C-alpha cells in the first residue's frame, strides 16, 4: 500500500528556523570577533612594544589550540548537546579577550589571545553549530541549511570589524576588546535554543501517522549502534576523508594569512589606513552570498567537485592580486572575490563528511578534519609575521598561498563521496 507524503508541520519548520537563526548568531559573534584580530597587530606592536612576531604568534596559536580542541568540543556537543558547550566556550572566549585587553606583557597576550580564545572559539563555531543544524534537516537540504547558517554567521564580520576599528581608533585597544568580550557573553545562552530543538528523538521527526518503516530514513537512528571508535577507525582508513582533511589545510592557511596580515600589507603598499578594515568587512559581506551559494551548489552538484573549483578560483584571485598593481579598486575587487570563496568550504566539507559517514558523530569527524584546517591557520598567521620580520616583505607567503590553491584542488577532485553507511548508500546511477 502506497503512502501519501507528509509535509513537515509548521511547528517543525519553526524549530528548524530557530536552530538556523541561533546557530547564525553564535557564529556571527564568534567569527566576527575573530576576524577583527588583524586590526590589533600594529597597535599591540607600536603602542605596547610587543614584537609583530609575538602578536602574530598569539593569533596563530589560537588557531592551533582551536584545531586540537575542536574534536573534543565536537564530541561533547555530540554527547551532551550544544547548550553547555556554547555557553562554556563563549565565556572562555570573552575571558581571553579581557586578558588580552589588560595584558601587561607579551606572555599574557599569548595566554589570552592564544590559549583561551582558541579554547573558546572551538566551542562556538562550525564543529558545534553545524552538526546541530545538520541533524535538524533532511539529508537533501543539509548542505543548503549549513550554507545558510554560515552565510548568516558572516553578518558578525560585516558588523563587528568596523565597530572594532572605530572603537580602537577612538577609545583604544582595551575598550574595543572589552566590547567584543561583551558580545560573546550575550551569545552564551543561544546554545539552549539549538539543544532544545536539535537533540530530538526519532519520534519527533516522524509523525505517529507514518508507518514505522518510514523511520528507516532517520540516519541518526540507523547509526545508533555505531561506536565512535569504529567510526574514527573507518574514517582514518577512508582515502577520501584523508584527502579532504589534507585539502582543508590550505583553506586554513589562506584565510588566516589574509585575515591577519592583509591590513598591515595594505599599509606597506601606502594605501589608506582604513582600507584594511574595509576589505575585511567586504570579505564578510560577500561571504554571506558565497556561503549560501556554495551550500546551494553542494545540494545540486557533487560537493568535492565544487570544493575543487572553489580552491582553483581562490588561488587564482590571490595570484592576480599579488602580481597586479595595488589600488583601492583592486583591493575592493580582491575582497569581493575572496568573500565569495571565503567560508563556502565549511558547509561543503561538513556536508561531504555527513554524506559519507552520517551525522551521529559528525561533530567529532568534522573536528578531526578541522584540525588540519587549523594547523594551516597557525602556519598562515605565524609565518606571515615571521617572513615579514626576516625578509621585510610578504612576497614568499603570497606566492605560497596562491600555489596551495592548486594543490588543494588536485586533492579534492578524486575524492570518493559514496556513503559508507549501508542505509544511506545511493544507487550508482543516482550519483552520476
Amino acid at each position: 500500500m502506497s503512502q501519501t507524503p507528509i509535509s513537515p508541520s509548521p511547528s517543525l519548520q519553526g524549530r528548524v528556523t530557530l536552530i538556523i537563526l541561533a546557530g547564525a548568531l553564535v557564529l556571527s559573534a564568534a567569527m566576527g570577533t575573530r576576524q577583527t584580530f588583524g586590526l590589533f597587530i600594529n597597535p599591540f606592536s607600536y603602542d605596547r612594544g610587543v614584537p609583530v612576531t609575538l602578536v602574530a604568534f598569539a593569533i596563530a596559536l589560537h588557531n592551533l589550540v582551536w584545531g586540537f580542541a575542536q574534536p573534543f568540543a565536537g564530541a561533547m556537543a555530540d554527547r551532551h548537546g550544544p547548550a553547555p558547550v556554547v555557553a562554556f566556550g563563549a565565556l572562555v572566549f570573552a575571558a581571553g579577550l579581557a586578558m588580552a585587553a589588560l595584558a601587561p606583557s607579551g606572555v599574557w597576550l599569548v595566554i589570552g589571545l592564544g590559549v583561551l580564545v582558541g579554547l573558546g572559539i572551538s566551542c562556538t563555531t562550525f564543529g558545534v553549530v553545524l552538526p546541530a543544524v545538520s541533524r535538524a534537516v533532511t539529508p537533501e537540504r543539509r548542505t543548503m541549511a549549513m550554507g545558510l547558517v554560515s552565510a548568516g554567521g558572516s553578518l558578525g564580520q560585516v558588523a563587528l570589524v568596523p565597530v572594532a576599528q572605530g572603537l580602537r581608533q577612538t577609545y583604544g585597544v582595551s575598550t574595543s576588546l572589552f566590547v567584543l568580550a561583551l558580545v560573546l557573553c550575550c551569545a552564551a545562552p543561544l546554545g539552549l535554543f539549538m539543544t532544545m530543538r536539535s537533540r530530538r528523538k526519532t519520534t519527533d521527526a516522524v509523525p505517529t501517522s507514518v508507518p514505522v518503516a518510514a523511520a528507516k530514513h532517520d540516519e541518526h537512528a540507523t547509526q545508533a549502534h555505531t561506536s565512535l571508535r569504529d567510526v574514527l577507525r573507518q574514517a582514518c582508513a577512508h582515502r577520501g576523508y584523508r584527502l579532504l582533511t589534507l585539502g582543508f589545510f590550505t583553506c586554513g592557511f589562506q584565510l588566516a594569512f589574509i585575515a591577519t596580515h592583509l591590513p598591515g600589507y595594505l599599509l606597506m603598499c601606502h594605501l589608506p589606513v582604513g582600507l584594511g578594515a574595509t576589505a575585511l568587512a567586504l570579505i564578510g559581506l560577500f561571504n554571506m552570498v558565497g556561503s549560501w551559494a556554495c551550500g546551494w551548489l553542494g545540494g545540486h552538484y557533487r560537493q568535492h567537485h565544487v570544493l575543487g573549483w572553489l580552491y582553483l578560483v581562490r588561488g587564482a584571485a590571490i595570484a592576480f592580486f599579488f602580481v597586479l598593481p595595488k589600488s583601492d579598486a583592486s583591493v575592493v575587487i580582491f575582497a569581493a572575490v575572496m568573500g565569495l570563496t571565503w567560508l563556502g568550504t565549511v558547509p561543503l566539507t561538513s556536508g561531504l563528511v555527513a554524506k559519507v559517514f552520517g551525522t551521529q558523530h559528525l561533530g567529532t569527524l568534522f573536528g578531526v578534519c578541522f584540525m588540519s584546517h587549523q594547523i594551516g591557520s597557525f602556519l598562515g598567521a605565524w609565518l606571515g609575521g615571521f617572513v615579514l620580520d626576516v625578509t621585510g616583505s610578504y612576497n614568499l607567503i603570497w606566492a605560497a598561498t596562491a600555489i596551495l590553491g592548486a594543490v588543494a584542488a588536485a586533492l579534492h577532485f578524486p575524492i570518493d563521496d559514496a556513503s559508507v553507511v549501508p542505509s544511506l548508500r545511493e544507487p550508482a546511477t543516482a550519483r552520476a
Side-chain angles (χ1 to χ4, degrees):
M1 178 179 177
S2 62
Q3 300 294 330
T4 302
I6 297 178
S7 300
S9 66
S11 61
L12 185 57
Q13 291 177 338
R15 293 179 185 180
V16 174
T17 300
L18 187 58
I19 293 168
I20 291 174
L21 179 60
L25 289 174
V26 172
L27 281 179
S28 287
M31 295 301 295
T33 297
R34 177 179 177 265
Q35 295 302 328
T36 67
F37 292 166
L39 303 176
F40 298 107
I41 291 182
N42 288 338
F44 273 122
S45 177
Y46 298 145
D47 300 343
R48 301 191 181 187
V50 181
V52 171
T53 303
L54 187 58
V55 182
F57 175 77
I59 296 174
L61 181 61
H62 98 261
N63 287 294
L64 197 62
V65 173
W66 177 9
F68 281 100
Q70 188 64 78
F72 300 99
M76 293 301 293
D78 287 340
R79 184 177 181 85
H80 301 292
V85 180
V86 169
F88 171 80
L91 295 177
V92 171
F93 197 156
L97 294 174
M99 182 176 291
L102 300 173
S105 66
V107 173
W108 289 103
L109 179 65
V110 169
I111 295 173
L113 204 57
V115 178
L116 293 182
V117 166
L119 289 174
I121 204 169
S122 70
C123 300
T124 52
T125 50
F126 307 110
V128 172
V129 172
L130 294 187
V133 173
S134 70
R135 296 184 187 111
V137 297
T138 58
E140 58 271 16
R141 297 183 178 180
R142 180 175 297 136
T143 307
M144 171 67 82
M146 290 191 286
L148 187 60
V149 171
S150 299
S154 300
L155 181 63
Q157 185 172 348
V158 177
L160 292 180
V161 169
V163 169
Q165 173 79 340
L167 289 171
R168 182 185 68 79
Q169 291 178 333
T170 305
Y171 300 104
V173 170
S174 296
T175 300
S176 182
L177 289 173
F178 276 125
V179 171
L180 294 173
L182 180 61
V183 171
L184 267 301
C185 291
C186 292
L190 293 176
L192 287 169
F193 298 98
M194 292 186 285
T195 299
M196 292 168 60
R197 304 301 193 261
S198 66
R199 284 177 61 83
R200 64 190 188 281
K201 296 179 180 179
T202 303
T203 54
D204 293 331
V206 183
T208 55
S209 60
V210 178
V212 175
K216 292 189 301 181
H217 299 288
D218 190 314
E219 63 188 272
H220 190 73
T222 64
Q223 300 177 80
H225 301 294
T226 305
S227 70
L228 176 59
R229 179 179 299 179
D230 290 341
V231 170
L232 285 172
R233 185 183 301 114
Q234 190 177 42
C236 291
H238 193 279
R239 180 173 178 268
Y241 183 78
R242 295 197 302 269
L243 291 175
L244 187 68
T245 301
L246 288 173
F248 218 16
F249 171 95
T250 293
C251 181
F253 188 96
Q254 292 174 326
L255 269 56
F257 167 67
I258 292 170
T260 304
H261 296 285
L262 181 61
Y265 175 71
L266 296 180
L267 290 177
M268 293 177 62
C269 296
H270 307 291
L271 293 172
V273 174
L275 189 58
T278 301
L280 294 179
L282 284 173
I283 288 173
L285 180 63
F286 281 89
N287 182 51
M288 296 175 68
V289 178
S291 293
W292 176 85
C294 288
W296 184 89
L297 289 170
H300 291 77
Y301 302 95
R302 301 179 76 170
Q303 291 148 347
H304 59 293
H305 289 170
V306 180
L307 279 166
W309 284 108
L310 186 150
Y311 282 113
L312 281 178
V313 170
R314 186 194 286 171
I318 293 170
F320 279 118
F321 177 71
F322 173 56
V323 300
L324 293 177
K326 308 300 181 294
S327 66
D328 291 13
S330 69
V331 171
V332 169
I333 294 172
F334 173 69
V337 176
M338 288 304 300
L340 292 174
T341 63
W342 193 252
L343 290 178
T345 56
V346 175
L348 291 169
T349 301
S350 55
L352 186 56
V353 174
K355 179 180 180 181
V356 176
F357 299 102
T359 62
Q360 184 184 10
H361 299 294
L362 178 57
T364 308
L365 291 178
F366 178 75
V368 173
C369 188
F370 195 71
M371 188 187 302
S372 173
H373 182 285
Q374 292 310 103
I375 293 173
S377 295
F378 170 82
L379 292 175
W382 176 69
L383 283 176
F386 177 77
V387 169
L388 177 63
D389 281 348
V390 172
T391 68
S393 76
Y394 287 110
N395 291 351
L396 290 177
I397 297 297
W398 277 113
T401 305
I403 292 170
L404 282 174
V407 174
L411 291 173
H412 280 81
F413 282 120
I415 288 177
D416 181 5
D417 62 350
S419 174
V420 299
V421 181
S423 64
L424 301 178
R425 288 178 185 160
E426 303 175 10
T429 55
R431 297 174 47 246

